[in-house]
């Protein structure tokens, strides 16, 4: 198997085509990466910005260059000495008429050759949540029309921009009625009674989009009704959805695969076994899997690791000050009110998901249990399922045809114990737990176990990452995918333990700091970490800014808008993205648009003052007006104060950025660079982190002395130097040991140091942490010593400066004379 030494993520679509990506390859090769890591490239819905809404898994999207463009791109990769990792989407496809399989299902129903490809409940008609108003209102308003599709006499139903195929039988009956009443399509369309008759004849039924949560007849991706679940557990479905990507692997065009949303599949282990068998033993495979702290990938999955969210969260142990976070926590208890109780907030968010957003899926589970245990009370069954889903501490279990693993048994036991405190005292809990254990070997119990496992992950994700993480705003740098926002950092020892475990369990998993799904870019997060180093300055600033901007708050019937909890979040967000104003001319228009887009998403995700499902226009306007005012050119009093307060945090953030970079590049795992993040990335959650990016590949010009640009240039230089060393010494990083190093002296707690060792090769990483000083000169590090491993080479060289150092007990002051981070390597 070819293991990458590093990867570079490119987001295709928008202005990123194969032709544009090909032009970047010389620079990517110069950066030192081994593999381009591509977002989904198969044909997606028109105008897709991400590619996860696939309509044809066997066609490369013409919008990014098609098959010819891909083939040229692969040849260019080979000339540059680079490989390719593809992001594939086995869990779902677009529920769109652009999808020929879905279109065929709409026309032919359960008789379609593709009816079994999608996870549809065929006990009723296929529901399509496309209506913007109830059906009877849409009929009365004449919103529907019949149109000739100009393809063999096929007639389609038109609703707004949507065109839906009619069933063959209904088209025959339609023609008969039109002849009987001497009507054309237009006249027939205006007759609400006849149109209602025609709609009732279809294999599908149109419903209001707001009814999807409780009345959907197919499994969807999370809450997205436009993405329908695939049944890749079926051998034919697997073959037909993977035909082209497997051919690409066998032809040598693709060397690695990233599996999107592995937890959505009915049986992830079986899927990965099928994939490994089809793709062969040499392809590199990683999975998108959210691991809670202490959770590990199932040992029997045939993969190299995850896409690296857990690495992001391990870094917080290093760069968040426990004492400082305690100060912020104390202040937030006043600001956040009820929202400051994370555990209570998690329960509320999960209940919202179970009782509203996923009520239809929960009802299906309830009815399955009623069929299995007909003597149980339906209300008790529903309450028990609800409390089990709420109590679940991880994304899901992995029960299949065998008994649960020891790990899953432990998780289930803890979940049942937690649920016992709130469910009615009936036998339903034990019975349902037995279904989750796989103790009842029959079709319906198996279906219940599978569907519960497929549902617990979406409920966790939508409750935590897409609801609670926008309500619990204590310290938003920790509100990251898979993160623990209420936790306190555990320090250097905990980080070393995480990396030791990582080396043991997934040494070749990706190590990410920014992805297309992270809540903020790596450098925005690094800057926010620094708030815990001077918490009093931040808290006092917040109080001043609330006063300075009080005139921009609105008073609604419900109270002030934005609420203080939202203000607390907005100022943190703004701190993470605020340009280095002391050095840079701020583009206020761009900043305003980015900030207000984020603010709107944040308050809708929080589902408190407004909601995606039920927007409150007055509340949204009040919050957006406030957000706009914070970045308005006329608000100079605030801007001046904010910038002055932020200045030390900007400098501390730069140090964090460089330290976390070097650690990512050298710790166990495969460093993944998100597009453009080899320089500075101050992005926010999507769509902000999926914006077009322009590479400024050249070094900073001599006359360009701005701090931000110098740090960006230094970040790229460090990235390139270390990635090239990884490429030239693959065994050291892919197979080498991880050795925490001791630091002694007055500033020992301000450093993290470790060595990678393979036979006679050694590399040493030394990075500052939680350093709150204007200058890191020789005096600061005086009396602090790095203790290198026993029997190191007599001399080592700092790869970043070229300076040689005698080994032994090394005075730290010598190491940091020229660079803010140190990477020592064996002399060649």
């Amino acid at each position: 198997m070819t293991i990458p030494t590093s990867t570079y993520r490119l987001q295709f679509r928008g202005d990123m085509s194969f032709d544009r990506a090909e032009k970047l390859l010389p620079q990517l090769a110069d950066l030192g990466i081994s593999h381009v890591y591509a977002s989904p490239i198969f044909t997606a819905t028109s105008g897709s910005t991400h590619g996860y809404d696939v309509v044809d898994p066997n066609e490369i999207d013409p919008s990014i260059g098609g098959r010819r463009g891909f083939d040229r791109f692969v040849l260019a990769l080979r000339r540059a000495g680079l490989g390719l990792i593809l992001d594939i989407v086995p869990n779902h496809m677009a529920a769109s008429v652009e999808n020929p399989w879905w279109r065929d299902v709409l026309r032919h129903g359960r008789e379609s050759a593709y009816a079994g490809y999608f996870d549809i409940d065929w006990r009723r008609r296929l529901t399509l949540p496309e209506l913007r108003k109830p059906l009877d209102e849409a009929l009365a308003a004449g919103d529907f029309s019949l149109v000739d599709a100009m393809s063999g006499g096929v007639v389609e139903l038109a609703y707004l921009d949507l065109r839906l195929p009619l069933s063959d039988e209904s088209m025959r009956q339609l023609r008969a009625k039109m002849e009987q009443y001497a009507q054309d399509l237009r006249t027939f369309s205006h007759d609400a009674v006849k149109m209602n008759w025609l709609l009732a004849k279809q294999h599908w039924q149109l419903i209001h989009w707001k009814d999807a949560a409780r009345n959907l007849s197919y499994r969807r991706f999370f809450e997205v009704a436009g993405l329908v679940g695939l049944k890749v557990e079926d051998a034919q479905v697997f073959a037909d959805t993977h035909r082209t990507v497997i051919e690409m692997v066998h032809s040598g065009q693709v060397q690695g695969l990233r599996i999107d949303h592995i937890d959505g599949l009915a049986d992830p282990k079986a899927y990965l076994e099928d994939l490994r068998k089809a793709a062969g033993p040499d392809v590199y495979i990683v999975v998108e899997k959210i691991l809670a702290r202490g959770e590990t990938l199932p040992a029997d999955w045939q993969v190299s690791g995850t896409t690296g969210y857990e690495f992001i969260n391990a870094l917080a142990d290093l760069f968040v000050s426990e004492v400082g976070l305690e100060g912020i926590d104390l202040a937030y208890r006043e600001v956040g009110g009820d929202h400051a109780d994370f555990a209570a907030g998690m329960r509320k968010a999960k209940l919202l998901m179970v009782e509203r957003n996923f009520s239809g899926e929960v009802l299906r589970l309830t009815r399955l249990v009623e069929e299995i245990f007909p003597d149980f009370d339906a209300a008790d069954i529903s309450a028990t399922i609800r409390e089990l889903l709420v109590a679940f501490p991880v994304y899901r279990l992995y029960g299949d045809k065998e008994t649960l693993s020891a790990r899953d048994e432990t998780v289930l036991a803890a979940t049942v114990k937690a649920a016992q405190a709130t469910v009615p005292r009936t036998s339903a809990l034990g019975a349902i737990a037995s279904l989750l254990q796989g103790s009842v070997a029959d079709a319906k119990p198996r279906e219940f176990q599978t569907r519960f496992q497929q549902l617990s992950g979406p409920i966790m994700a939508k409750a935590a990452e897409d609801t609670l993480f926008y309500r619990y705003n204590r310290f938003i740098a920790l509100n990251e995918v898979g993160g623990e926002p209420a936790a306190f950092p555990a320090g250097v020892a905990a980080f070393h333990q995480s990396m030791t475990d990582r080396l043991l369990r997934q040494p070749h998993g990706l190590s990410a700091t920014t992805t297309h799904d992270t809540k903020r870019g790596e450098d925005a997060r690094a800057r926010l970490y620094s708030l815990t180093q001077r918490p009093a300055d931040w808290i006092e600033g917040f109080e001043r800014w609330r006063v300075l901007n009080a005139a921009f708050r609105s008073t609604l019937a419900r109270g002030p808008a934005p609420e203080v909890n939202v203000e607390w979040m907005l100022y943190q967000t703004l701190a993470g993205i605020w340009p280095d104003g002391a050095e840079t001319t701020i583009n206020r228009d761009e900043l305003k648009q980015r900030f207000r887009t984020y603010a709107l998403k944040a308050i809708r995700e929080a589902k408190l003052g407004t909601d995606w499902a039920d927007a409150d226009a007055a509340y949204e306007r009040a919050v957006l007006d406030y957000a706009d005012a914070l970045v308005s050119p006329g608000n100079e009093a605030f801007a001046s104060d904010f910038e002055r307060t932020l200045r030390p945090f900007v400098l501390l953030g730069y140090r964090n950025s460089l330290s976390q970079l070097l650690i990512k590049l050298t710790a166990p795992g495969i460093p993944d660079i998100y597009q453009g993040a080899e320089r500075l990335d101050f992005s926010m959650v999507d769509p902000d982190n999926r914006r077009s990016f322009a590479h400024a590949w050249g070094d900073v010009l001599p006359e360009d002395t701005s701090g931000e640009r110098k740090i960006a240039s230094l970040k790229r230089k460090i990235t390139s130097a270390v990635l090239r060393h990884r490429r030239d010494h693959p065994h050291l990083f892919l197979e080498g040991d991880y050795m925490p190093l001791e630091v002694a002296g007055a500033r020992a707690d301000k450093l993290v140091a470790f060595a990678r060792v393979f036979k006679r090769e050694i590399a040493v990483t030394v990075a500052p942490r939680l350093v709150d000083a204007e200058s890191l000169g020789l005096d600061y590090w005086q009396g602090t010593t790095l203790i290198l491993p026993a029997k190191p080479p007599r001399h080592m060289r700092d790869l970043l400066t070229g300076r040689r150092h005698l080994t032994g007990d090394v005075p730290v002051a010598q190491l940091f004379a020229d660079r803010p981070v140190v990477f020592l390597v064996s002399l060649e």
Side-chain angles (χ1 to χ4, degrees), residues 567-582:
E567 289 181 279
W568 182 269
M569 175 270 294
L570 289 174
Y571 287 115
Q572 287 183 78
T573 302
L574 193 58
I577 65 171
W578 191 267
D580 189 351

Side-chain angles (χ1 to χ4, degrees), residues 393-449:
V394 296
Y395 268 59
R396 63 167 286 174
L397 302 176
Y398 297 99
D400 48 30
K401 298 179 179 65
E402 304 170 359
T403 58
L404 293 180
S405 67
R407 170 263 184 194
D408 280 358
E409 285 280 9
T410 300
V411 170
L412 180 57
T415 303
V416 170
K417 183 177 180 180
Q420 283 174 334
T422 51
V423 296
R425 293 192 173 276
T426 70
S427 56
L429 181 57
I432 293 173
S434 72
L435 298 180
L436 295 175
Q437 285 176 311
S439 304
V440 186
D442 202 359
K444 288 191 184 298
R446 292 293 188 205
E447 182 183 357
F448 175 84
Q449 182 190 42

Side-chain angles (χ1 to χ4, degrees), residues 604-670:
R604 285 185 174 177
E605 293 283 38
K607 305 171 186 69
L608 294 170
T610 187
D611 198 332
W612 295 108
D614 188 17
D616 185 321
Y619 176 79
E620 290 184 353
R621 184 167 54 252
V623 174
L624 293 182
D625 285 349
Y626 186 86
D628 288 348
L630 299 189
V631 294
S632 169
N635 195 0
E636 287 305 319
F638 163 70
S640 177
D641 188 299
F642 190 71
E643 195 166 287
R644 184 173 58 254
T645 305
L646 200 60
R647 187 65 196 153
F649 297 120
V650 169
L651 298 176
L652 294 173
Y654 287 155
R655 291 175 187 165
N656 288 341
S657 290
L658 297 178
S659 289
Q660 81 171 355
L661 170 68
L662 183 61
I663 291 167
K664 178 176 81 168
L665 298 178
T666 57
I670 309 302

Side-chain angles (χ1 to χ4, degrees), residues 508-581:
H508 303 147
L510 295 182
S511 297
T513 42
T514 301
T515 77
H516 63 288
D517 278 333
T518 45
K519 298 301 184 186
R520 49 197 42 83
E522 60 196 58
D523 300 298
R525 192 183 313 112
R527 181 186 289 176
L528 291 176
Y529 286 154
S530 72
L531 301 187
T532 63
Q533 293 179 241
R534 298 186 178 185
D537 291 351
W538 177 257
I539 295 165
E540 290 168 6
F542 171 74
E543 295 297 342
R544 289 196 308 275
W545 305 327
R546 288 200 73 224
V547 172
L548 286 170
N549 294 312
F552 303 120
R553 278 194 297 274
S554 300
T555 301
L556 306 179
R558 65 197 307 163
E563 311 92 308
V564 62
N565 184 46
V566 174
E567 289 181 279
W568 182 269
M569 175 270 294
L570 289 174
Y571 287 115
Q572 287 183 78
T573 302
L574 193 58
I577 65 171
W578 191 267
D580 189 351

